[in-house]
Amino acid sequence: MTQRTLLVLDFSGVLSLEAVCFGMPDRLEQALRHSGLWELGVEGARYWNDVVKPTWEIGSTTRTPYAYLVAQRVQSPHVAFDDALRCAEQFVQAYMQASVIDPVWRALFDGLQAAHSITPLIATDHYAEATAHIAQQIAAMGWRAAALQTDAAGQVVIDGSAPASLPPHTVALANSADLGVHKERALFWSRVRAGLAIEPDQILVIDDFGANEHLLDFYADPAKVTRRQAQTLAAISSAFGAPTHTLPFIIERPFPDLEALRATYRAQAEQTIRRVMEMIRA
């Protein structure tokens, strides 16, 4: 009998290396300068310490736009909110445009086209703006995205409708900003289960648990990564009650240059894809 598999994929740092590369000092400075935030006093260190860190909790668990939160942090008696918002929106747009699904993963999605017993799910702790962007990235690979959200009554809906079986060639999308909780929490996964309306026989998780994020980002703190991995896997198992297997996608540091990083990332992705297809066929 064919096993029903839920394939859980992280976005930033796994499907998208460029989302992480955007935070590298030179690229981040270029984006801050181009958006106008640099002129408003937001250089690299201030971005991480005074913008990202204090806004992450609300930005990643509510539908408040990240650009709005950035503008709130940047405005001052000398900087009008509308000016700060305009710059922040341009910056966030650049961030999203950089956050592409790497072409190496197309082989996985192509391989899943005929695997009707597999339900792919992109599960991510991210900002509200990411949902539509990731859906566009999925569409570019010939798939449809179905986003899970909580409605005004706190019920889980999928693309605004009641939970139902997903049609073929559909990727479920669970963003913490839409579900109101981070994916290391059991509530995130109980809401995913309610929205997907499936009972998988096994769950396969491909995630970096934050380890691949830029080291200046507090999210990549090694102790937090270790704790997040344990809590996330425990939460998944608790919510679904099915055997859970993980393929940690953690890139060893450091790298001599960006091209070496990309080469290592893609080689690791190709190896991961082979392992996934082997596990699915087993």
Side-chain angles (χ1 to χ4, degrees), residues 63 149-157 160 178-179 187 191 194:
R63 295 192 186 109
Q149 297 180 325
T150 53
D151 62 16
Q155 300 300 307
V156 180
V157 296
D178 296 324
L179 294 180
L187 180 57
R191 287 176 172 173

Side-chain angles (χ1 to χ4, degrees), residues 54-269:
T55 64
W56 172 246
E57 184 67 28
I58 188 170
S60 59
T61 58
T62 74
R63 295 192 186 109
T64 306
Y66 181 44
Y68 181 86
L69 297 173
V70 173
Q72 282 187 316
R73 299 294 302 177
V74 173
Q75 71 170 338
S76 71
H78 308 292
V79 178
F81 179 80
D82 288 348
D83 292 337
L85 181 60
R86 183 168 55 253
C87 294
E89 287 175 339
Q90 188 168 346
F91 175 82
V92 172
Q93 183 180 32
Y95 174 39
M96 292 301 161
Q97 288 176 344
S99 301
V100 296
I101 295 179
D102 195 280
V104 71
W105 293 101
R106 182 175 287 273
L108 174 63
F109 287 93
D110 288 348
L112 294 176
Q113 290 277 4
H116 302 302
S117 63
I118 313 299
T119 299
L121 164 72
I122 296 178
T124 181
D125 289 340
H126 219 312
Y127 300 110
E129 290 97 331
T131 301
H133 169 74
I134 297 173
Q136 291 171 351
Q137 290 289 298
I138 294 169
M141 293 190 299
W143 288 68
R144 174 180 173 271
L148 284 74
Q149 297 180 325
T150 53
D151 62 16
Q155 300 300 307
V156 180
V157 296
I158 188 160
D159 276 353
S161 302
S165 297
L166 298 179
H169 306 149
T170 300
V171 179
L173 173 55
N175 182 356
S176 62
D178 296 324
L179 294 180
V181 62
H182 290 149
K183 63 185 185 182
E184 65 196 61
R185 303 287 298 278
L187 180 57
F188 179 98
W189 296 101
S190 65
R191 287 176 172 173
V192 168
R193 181 178 180 178
L196 290 181
I198 64 168
E199 297 293 336
D201 298 303
Q202 64 176 350
I203 302 167
L204 180 57
V205 181
I206 303 174
D207 204 321
D208 71 318
F209 305 100
N212 295 339
E213 296 295 334
H214 195 276
L215 290 177
L216 289 178
D217 188 344
F218 72 98
Y219 196 75
D221 177 84
K224 292 182 178 179
V225 169
T226 300
R227 183 175 67 250
R228 190 180 297 120
Q229 177 173 347
Q231 291 177 337
T232 300
L233 296 177
I236 295 173
S237 297
S238 174
F240 285 95
T244 301
H245 313 283
T246 182
L247 295 176
F249 192 88
I250 297 174
I251 305 171
E252 295 298 326
R253 305 173 191 264
F255 291 93
D257 54 51
L258 184 56
E259 287 312 308
L261 169 61
R262 287 178 174 140
T264 301
Y265 162 85
R266 287 170 182 157
Q268 187 165 328

Side-chain angles (χ1 to χ4, degrees), residues 12-90:
S12 180
V14 177
L15 292 180
S16 178
L17 176 66
E18 295 305 312
V20 174
C21 292
F22 181 85
M24 292 181 171
D26 290 348
R27 288 188 62 181
L28 179 61
E29 179 177 337
Q30 182 181 20
L32 290 170
R33 287 185 181 277
H34 187 262
S35 68
L37 286 175
W38 188 279
E39 188 176 339
L40 300 183
V42 184
E43 41 71 45
R46 185 184 173 198
Y47 173 72
W48 292 115
N49 296 325
D50 297 340
V51 176
V52 174
K53 190 171 184 178
T55 64
W56 172 246
E57 184 67 28
I58 188 170
S60 59
T61 58
T62 74
R63 295 192 186 109
T64 306
Y66 181 44
Y68 181 86
L69 297 173
V70 173
Q72 282 187 316
R73 299 294 302 177
V74 173
Q75 71 170 338
S76 71
H78 308 292
V79 178
F81 179 80
D82 288 348
D83 292 337
L85 181 60
R86 183 168 55 253
C87 294
E89 287 175 339
Q90 188 168 346

